């Protein structure tokens, strides 16, 4: 049976670890590398093939490691390079690969390159970053808004210029137009490849080429203009990635996934093209950015869960458009997203397990490489924020300062409710290992409060319950490892107008696999696509009702047409 071009990462299931919140081995309340090593057997039991580590490099942690001050050393709080070498060796011994998070759109302002760059206009490192003169009135070069609120430009009095930071002011953007910057990046990538890592997740890689005219645009109600169309998928981004591929990636057998803010399907066909001249795959954000907010100034801050038709239209489009042209990634959760069972499912005690399994089925039976975020496999949920003091994420704190305190564009309790629904801290509460103090995450004081529902939702309870979300994910992973149709089968949508059922077919040669999932908490009539001759592969119900799907019921059946 001929499949498209084989690659190990097309058949793999990836598990993302946010090290700060995974497991603390030394009682300082902060997760660390030795904590991960101590839990590798758990991940081997789940059956995952790859661990994607969120950044573990030296960082002042303005953005929890996404602000790097030394790419070649391990963050002191996470451990030492010896701890990393041990983690890598222990993971490989269990046939688990390690993918690092490459953050090279920007560095920390405490990186030696930036410390030099800001010293003078003629410093050799000046052009490692993006510096511009003020306007005649002394204002910033344009009205671009940072992803973390406020101006994307920071004035530096020492040399009387502004520098660009698409994220926090402590995350100055690197100037990729400068061939020396590209050289430095390729060199640090090679350093980690020579250590034996197995790939990179590339942070906001779609933003490394900016429109060099830095054009301004119409102002939003908050007085700033959107920068995304001028910094995403820029004029030289594919040139840079093809150079990166030639200089580094093509020398190793790596998984590469680009976190591509603003990527469209058309652009994805370039970033993740089947000829392998750039990256293996990309993350898009169309389904997680959610329905556009009715209040533009609120941007992502909303509590309205996207309707099934909205989510299905997007996921089906990506399935159909990439077919045979590029490889895709599949995810609901990561360290920037709310917990999927709270955002798209139902995290009430009655329906949490059923809806978590339904969501997992919808995603993991699709074509592409699936990503599981720590805790998703046991159905961890969002937590409740009772005050802004509960929040530690820079994106949330800056939004509060601008929208509530300075501009008074939204009431505090309204924005706090939005943090409950979509704030990034939801994904960063410590991993819930058992029902002992702090969910077994630490013997110390956790850096971020543990979700109070940990006594009921934790790994120990999940491993003791054969009907848990954990064993359901384990079975989904096993299906992907054993049935080529799950990896390589062509995707065909079904019931595209339903607001209740997500259904689709996968076809490989004579084999057909059908997925039916009730997205709602109500029993719904479901035209069966399969008679009793079909074999059931997995379901979150043991007993079915012919012609109906029970609340949040998901079923996968298959047969060979031969
Ligand atoms: O995220 C980039 C990005 O687009 C996110 O800021 C996302 O838009 C937002 O958080 C969700 O609404 C990457 C990292 O994943 C994120 O953790 C970092 O804060 C950011 O880049 C800067 O490095
Ligand atoms: Ca620790």
């Amino acid at each position: 049976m001929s499949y498209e071009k084989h690659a190990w990462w097309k058949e793999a299931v990836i598990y993302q670890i946010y090290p700060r919140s995974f497991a603390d081995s030394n009682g300082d309340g902060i997760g660390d590398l030795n904590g991960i090593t101590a839990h590798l057997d758990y991940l081997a039991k789940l059956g995952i093939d790859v661990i994607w580590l969120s950044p573990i490099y030296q960082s002042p942690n303005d953005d929890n490691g996404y602000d790097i001050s030394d790419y070649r050393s391990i963050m002191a709080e996470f451990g030492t390079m010896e701890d990393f070498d041990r983690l890598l060796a222990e993971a490989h011994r269990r046939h688990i690969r390690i993918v690092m998070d490459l953050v090279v759109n920007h560095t920390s302002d405490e990186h030696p390159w930036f410390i030099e760059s800001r010293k003078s206009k003629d410093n050799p490192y000046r052009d490692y970053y993006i510096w511009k003169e003020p306007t005649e009135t002394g204002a910033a070069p344009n009205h671009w808004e940072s992803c973390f609120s406020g101006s994307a430009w920071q004035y530096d009095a020492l040399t009387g210029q502004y520098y660009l930071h698409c994220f926090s002011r402590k995350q100055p953007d690197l100037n990729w137009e400068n061939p020396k910057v590209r050289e430095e990046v390729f060199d640090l990538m090679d350093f980690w490849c020579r250590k034996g890592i197995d790939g990179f997740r590339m942070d906001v890689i779609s933003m490394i080429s900016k429109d060099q005219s830095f054009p301004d645009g119409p102002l939003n109600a908050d007085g700033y203009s959107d920068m995304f169309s001028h910094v995403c998928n820029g004029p030289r981004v594919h040139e840079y990635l093809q150079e990166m591929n030639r200089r580094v990636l093509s020398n190793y057998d790596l998984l590469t996934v680009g976190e591509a803010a603003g990527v469209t399907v058309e652009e994805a066909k370039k970033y993740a093209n089947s000829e392998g001249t750039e990256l293996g795959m990309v993350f898009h954000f169309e389904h997680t950015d959610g329905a556009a907010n009715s209040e533009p100034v609120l941007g992502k801050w909303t509590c309205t869960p996207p309707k099934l038709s909205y989510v299905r239209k997007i996921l089906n489009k990506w399935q159909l458009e990439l077919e045979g042209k590029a490889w895709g990634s599949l995810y609901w959760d990561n360290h920037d997203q709310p917990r999927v069972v709270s955002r798209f499912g139902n995290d009430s005690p009655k329906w949490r397990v059923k809806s978590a399994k339904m969501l997992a089925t919808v995603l993991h039976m699709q074509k592409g490489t699936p990503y599981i975020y720590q805790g998703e496999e046991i159905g961890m949920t969002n937590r409740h924020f009772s005050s802004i003091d509960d929040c530690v994420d820079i994106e949330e704190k800056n939004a509060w300062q601008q929208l509530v305190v300075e501009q008074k564009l939204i009431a505090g309790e309204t924005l706090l409710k939005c943090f409950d629904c979509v704030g990034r801290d939801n994904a960063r509460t410590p991993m819930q290992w058992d029902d002992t103090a702090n969910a077994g995450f630490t013997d110390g004081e956790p850096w971020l409060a543990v979700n109070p529902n940990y006594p009921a939702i934790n790994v120990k309870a999940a491993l003791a319950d054969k009907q848990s979300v954990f064993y359901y994910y384990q079975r989904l992973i096993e299906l992907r490892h054993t049935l080529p149709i799950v990896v390589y089968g062509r995707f065909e949508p079904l019931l595209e107008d339903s607001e209740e059922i997500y259904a689709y077919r996968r076809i490989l040669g004579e084999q057909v696999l059908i997925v039916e999932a009730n997205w709602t908490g109500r029993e719904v009539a479901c035209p069966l696509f399969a008679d009793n001759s079909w074999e059931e592969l997995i379901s979150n119900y043991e007993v079915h009702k012919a012609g109906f799907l029970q609340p949040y019921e998901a079923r996968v059946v298959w047969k060979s047409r031969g």
Side-chain angles (χ1 to χ4, degrees):
M1 202 176 291
S2 67
Y3 310 145
E4 55 209 289
K5 192 172 153 201
H6 166 80
W8 63 265
W9 38 268
K10 290 183 178 179
E11 302 174 2
V13 178
I14 321 302
Y15 187 90
Q16 182 194 355
I17 289 180
Y18 194 68
R20 196 169 198 83
S21 304
F22 189 70
D24 170 23
S25 69
N26 63 351
D28 66 356
I30 298 170
D32 46 54
L33 299 186
N34 289 336
I36 298 170
T37 304
H39 289 85
L40 287 174
D41 287 337
Y42 165 71
L43 299 176
K45 183 180 180 70
L46 179 59
I48 53 100
D49 306 287
V50 183
I51 294 170
W52 151 26
L53 291 174
S54 273
I56 59 173
Y57 321 95
Q58 191 56 354
S59 163
N61 285 308
D62 188 57
D63 184 17
N64 284 356
Y66 283 90
D67 49 319
I68 296 165
S69 54
D70 181 352
Y71 288 93
R72 288 179 172 78
S73 72
I74 302 299
M75 188 190 305
E77 293 172 328
F78 288 170
T80 64
M81 189 58 88
E82 291 68 33
D83 296 331
F84 173 78
D85 292 339
R86 179 166 52 253
L87 168 58
L88 185 64
E90 285 302 311
H92 282 171
R93 201 161 59 80
R94 294 164 174 84
H95 308 297
I96 294 174
R97 290 174 158 106
I98 297 283
V99 162
M100 300 286 272
D101 205 321
L102 183 71
V103 187
V104 288
N105 171 69
H106 48 271
T107 69
S108 163
D109 67 347
E110 298 180 28
H111 192 289
W113 297 340
F114 190 74
I115 292 169
E116 281 302 312
S117 179
R118 74 190 320 174
K119 279 181 181 172
S120 66
K121 289 183 184 176
D122 58 1
N123 184 286
Y125 287 88
R126 188 68 173 184
D127 284 345
Y128 272 47
Y129 296 87
I130 299 168
W131 294 92
K132 295 291 175 201
E133 289 296 331
T135 62
E136 312 80 74
T137 60
N142 61 35
H143 292 85
W144 288 0
E145 182 165 25
S146 151
C147 288
F148 292 161
S149 303
S151 171
W153 299 93
Q154 174 62 35
Y155 183 70
D156 202 68
L158 188 63
T159 56
Q161 287 189 331
Y162 284 85
Y163 65 84
L164 178 68
H165 59 89
C166 289
F167 292 92
S168 89
R169 60 173 61 96
K170 283 184 68 63
Q171 292 170 293
D173 280 59
L174 282 166
N175 173 22
W176 274 73
E177 300 287 318
N178 182 346
K180 290 184 192 141
V181 166
R182 302 201 297 272
E183 225 18 69
E184 297 271 14
V185 169
F186 301 154
D187 195 37
L188 72 90
M189 291 176 71
D190 208 52
F191 167 82
W192 286 102
C193 290
R194 277 184 278 108
K195 284 186 72 69
I197 66 163
D198 304 287
F200 293 105
R201 176 266 188 184
M202 299 187 191
D203 192 62
V204 289
I205 202 67
S206 56
M207 293 169 71
I208 59 176
S209 164
K210 277 83 174 171
D211 177 337
Q212 292 303 292
S213 64
F214 297 91
D216 216 338
L219 302 188
N220 296 323
D222 60 6
Y224 294 103
S225 64
D226 291 336
M227 70 176 172
F228 272 89
S229 57
H230 309 304
V231 303
C232 292
N233 310 312
R236 301 182 67 184
V237 70
H238 298 293
E239 174 199 332
Y240 294 156
L241 289 178
Q242 287 161 27
E243 184 185 2
M244 178 193 284
N245 190 297
R246 286 194 305 275
R247 294 290 313 283
V248 183
L249 305 181
S250 56
N251 301 324
Y252 303 92
D253 184 14
L254 301 174
L255 178 155
T256 52
V257 53
E259 187 214 23
V263 71
T264 61
V265 169
E266 284 318 306
E267 281 296 324
K269 292 174 188 172
K270 300 175 196 168
Y271 283 115
N273 67 70
S274 304
E275 294 69 47
T277 58
E278 294 187 25
L279 304 179
M281 60 191 112
V282 293
F283 291 131
H284 69 81
F285 291 90
E286 293 186 11
H287 60 312
T288 50
D289 274 354
N293 217 316
S294 54
E295 294 281 323
V297 75
L298 296 182
K300 66 175 271 189
W301 305 118
T302 175
C303 272
T304 312
K307 293 167 70 174
L308 168 59
S309 51
Y310 179 89
V311 174
R312 178 183 49 234
K313 188 160 176 261
I314 290 166
L315 295 185
N316 286 8
K317 173 185 73 175
W318 281 83
Q319 288 286 300
L320 295 169
E321 292 276 346
L322 293 188
E323 177 65 42
K325 299 193 182 72
W327 195 254
S329 67
L330 305 169
Y331 76 96
W332 291 130
D333 275 345
N334 60 42
H335 63 292
D336 293 332
Q337 298 300 328
R339 292 284 180 179
V340 66
V341 71
S342 300
R343 179 85 174 112
F344 290 148
N346 180 333
D347 62 9
S348 67
K350 180 176 183 186
W351 293 116
R352 179 182 64 84
V353 171
K354 283 273 191 273
S355 75
K357 290 177 178 179
M358 179 278 291
L359 291 163
T361 310
V362 166
L363 193 77
H364 280 256
M365 288 295 108
Q366 295 202 9
K367 188 168 191 175
T369 298
Y371 289 73
I372 300 169
Y373 178 64
Q374 69 181 47
E376 177 186 339
E377 80 281 4
I378 59 168
M380 278 178 63
T381 70
N382 281 359
R383 49 161 263 193
H384 175 64
F385 297 82
S386 49
S387 95
I388 186 60
D389 301 334
D390 287 350
C391 307
V392 295
D393 174 34
I394 187 166
E395 183 183 40
E396 294 159 4
K397 293 194 296 184
N398 286 7
W400 179 274
Q401 181 60 27
Q402 177 174 317
L403 296 173
V404 175
V405 176
E406 291 168 6
Q407 297 185 339
K408 301 184 177 21
L409 289 172
I410 180 174
E413 62 270 20
T414 307
L415 187 55
L416 210 50
K417 184 78 194 88
C418 293
F419 290 170
D420 269 7
C421 298
V422 295
R424 301 196 307 179
D425 277 332
N426 283 303
R428 300 167 183 196
T429 59
M431 183 71 181
Q432 296 165 198
W433 292 104
D434 57 38
D435 58 2
T436 63
N438 295 311
F441 163 73
T442 178
D443 297 336
E445 188 57 34
W447 73 279
L448 179 64
V450 178
N451 192 317
N453 65 16
Y454 77 86
I457 303 173
N458 61 69
V459 165
K460 185 181 174 192
L463 293 179
D465 171 8
K466 284 299 176 197
Q467 300 308 316
S468 66
V469 179
F470 174 87
Y471 289 112
Y472 197 88
Y473 268 84
Q474 188 188 60
R475 173 66 176 148
L476 288 170
I477 295 167
E478 182 189 31
L479 290 173
R480 184 167 290 271
H481 284 163
T482 51
L483 302 179
I485 189 172
V486 176
V487 177
Y488 294 106
R490 182 168 43 80
F491 176 94
E492 263 189 19
L494 296 169
L495 295 182
E496 293 183 272
D497 300 329
S498 171
E499 274 302 351
E500 297 165 326
I501 298 171
Y502 198 148
Y504 58 85
R505 248 198 297 258
R506 300 286 308 275
I507 296 141
L508 186 70
E510 290 306 301
Q511 295 174 345
V512 183
L513 176 150
I514 291 181
V515 177
E516 299 165 345
N518 180 356
W519 196 263
T520 76
R522 304 180 302 281
E523 181 176 286
V524 294
C526 179
L528 280 183
F529 294 98
D531 56 39
N532 294 334
S533 67
W534 295 61
E535 178 193 350
E536 181 172 286
L537 294 173
I538 190 171
S539 177
N540 58 355
Y541 276 81
E542 291 184 353
V543 178
H544 305 294
K545 204 172 168 185
F548 291 89
L549 286 176
Q550 300 160 92
Y552 302 112
E553 180 173 1
R555 285 191 77 201
V556 182
V557 295
W558 82 318
K559 81 171 181 180
S560 173
R561 287 187 290 206

